[in-house]
């Protein structure tokens, strides 16, 4: 009887602390160009069939998404957050991939890291795969969807722009995206999104224009966007709930 009470108390404590009794798991991906990319898998439940692939912004790491993982798990999504080879210590996290390489790469050089994450999810037979990008990686998820039209269920792009040498690269890719496509940024960067969407006019596009927001996926985090995060998170969660219906 005493052991049962102890087990119950431990389970309750885990639920209170994380909202999820399943422990996070370290993941190492291997890219086509032989780079080891480090990440964390957080499962919503055992044998789940939905996953969010979470990609961070410049100078950051997988820890950009730490305040959001429990919310995403509660929506029924496993999450795989990775440290791309272009990143750093922003938001207090350590980018293990950059540390192992000894330096941060250019933005576009991180594209194979996203390919590896998608291959990982497909190898595990997730039925619903949503790629989420922040800042430069939000442009890369658009390229990912254009290159793999049948590999993804949906994408979400937070603060994309023409961040690369080819200033038509992302708008050209955006016009090729056929899966549900959530796109948004703070009001100060609205022109960047308008440019990205110049040739994309399909009904697959959900263009959310917030009243208040900050750069990247940080617009969903209370401490980084106290004025806008509530409405912005509500909008994104509504999009996620509609995937696969």
């Amino acid at each position: 009887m005493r052991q049962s009470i102890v087990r119950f108390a431990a389970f309750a404590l885990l639920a209170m602390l994380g909202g999820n009794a399943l422990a996070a798991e370290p993941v190492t991906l291997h890219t086509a160009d032989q780079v080891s990319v480090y990440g964390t898998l957080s499962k919503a439940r055992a044998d789940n069939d939905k996953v969010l692939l979470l990609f961070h912004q410049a100078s950051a790491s997988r820890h950009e998404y730490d305040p959001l993982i429990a919310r995403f798990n509660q929506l029924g999504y496993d999450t795989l957050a990775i440290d791309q080879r272009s990143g750093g210590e922003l938001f207090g996290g350590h980018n293990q991939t950059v540390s192992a390489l000894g330096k941060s790469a250019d933005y576009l050089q991180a594209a194979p890291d996203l390919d590896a994450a998608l291959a990982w999810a497909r190898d595990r037979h997730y039925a619903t795969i949503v790629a989420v990008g922040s800042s430069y990686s939000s442009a890369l998820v658009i390229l990912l969807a254009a290159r793999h039209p049948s590999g993804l269920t949906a994408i979400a792009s937070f603060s994309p722009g023409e961040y690369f040498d080819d200033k038509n690269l992302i708008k050209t890719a955006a016009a090729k995206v056929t899966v549900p496509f959530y796109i948004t940024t703070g009001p100060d960067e609205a022109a960047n999104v308008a440019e990205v969407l110049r040739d994309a006019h399909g009904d697959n596009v959900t263009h959310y224009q917030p009243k208040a927001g900050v750069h990247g996926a940080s617009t969903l985090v209370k401490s980084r966007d106290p004025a806008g995060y509530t409405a912005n998170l509500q909008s994104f969660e509504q999009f996620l709930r509609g995937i696969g219906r």
Side-chain angles (χ1 to χ4, degrees), residues 3-22:
Q3 290 179 339
S4 297
I5 293 173
V6 169
R7 284 196 299 268
F8 176 80
F11 178 84
L13 180 60
L14 284 170
M16 289 172 61
L17 291 175
N20 187 346
L22 298 178

Side-chain angles (χ1 to χ4, degrees), residues 11-238:
F11 178 84
L13 180 60
L14 284 170
M16 289 172 61
L17 291 175
N20 187 346
L22 298 178
E25 305 171 21
V27 172
T28 303
L29 309 176
H30 301 286
T31 68
D33 59 345
Q34 307 304 308
V35 171
S36 294
V37 174
Y38 300 95
T40 302
L41 170 65
S42 300
K43 294 186 69 66
R45 55 181 177 268
D47 302 318
N48 196 18
D49 67 348
K50 301 198 300 184
V51 67
L52 299 181
L53 305 178
L54 303 176
F55 307 117
H56 60 75
Q57 64 179 270
S59 301
S61 71
R62 73 189 98 165
H63 300 290
E64 178 176 0
Y65 291 94
D66 283 355
L68 298 166
I69 298 299
R71 290 288 293 260
F72 294 154
N73 289 163
Q74 289 165 7
L75 283 175
Y77 285 89
D78 294 351
T79 61
L80 176 70
I82 69 165
D83 289 343
Q84 293 109 239
R85 70 185 76 181
S86 182
E89 310 297 317
L90 186 63
F91 308 123
H94 172 69
N95 188 309
Q96 190 177 355
T97 304
V98 170
S99 180
L101 289 172
K103 64 178 182 179
S104 178
D106 293 338
Y107 295 160
L108 197 54
Q109 289 177 310
D113 305 348
L114 278 64
D115 289 330
L118 176 56
W120 174 92
R122 297 190 70 183
D123 286 347
R124 280 148 188 79
H125 304 293
Y126 280 101
T128 300
I129 304 173
V130 182
V132 182
S134 178
S135 188
Y136 87 87
S137 72
S138 74
L140 291 183
V141 298
I142 296 172
L143 288 177
L144 187 71
R147 291 198 313 271
H148 302 280
S150 61
L152 285 161
T153 307
I155 62 171
S157 181
F158 289 87
S159 302
E162 293 287 4
Y163 298 124
F164 314 116
D165 290 341
D166 180 351
K167 298 307 178 184
N168 291 306
L169 183 64
I170 304 307
K171 65 177 70 72
T172 299
K176 298 177 181 178
V177 174
T178 57
V179 297
F181 178 3
Y182 185 91
I183 186 167
T184 187
T185 196
D188 291 346
E189 298 177 315
N192 292 345
V193 170
E195 181 183 16
V196 167
L197 291 178
R198 186 191 69 183
D199 302 322
H201 305 293
D203 58 9
N204 62 309
V205 177
T206 298
H207 181 191
Y208 171 60
Q209 301 177 67
K211 294 181 179 179
V214 298
H215 187 70
S218 288
T219 202
L220 305 175
V221 178
K222 181 178 182 179
S223 62
R224 301 172 200 158
D225 184 14
Y229 87 97
T230 299
N232 301 342
L233 188 56
Q234 182 180 34
S235 170
F236 184 46
E237 289 182 342
Q238 182 179 359

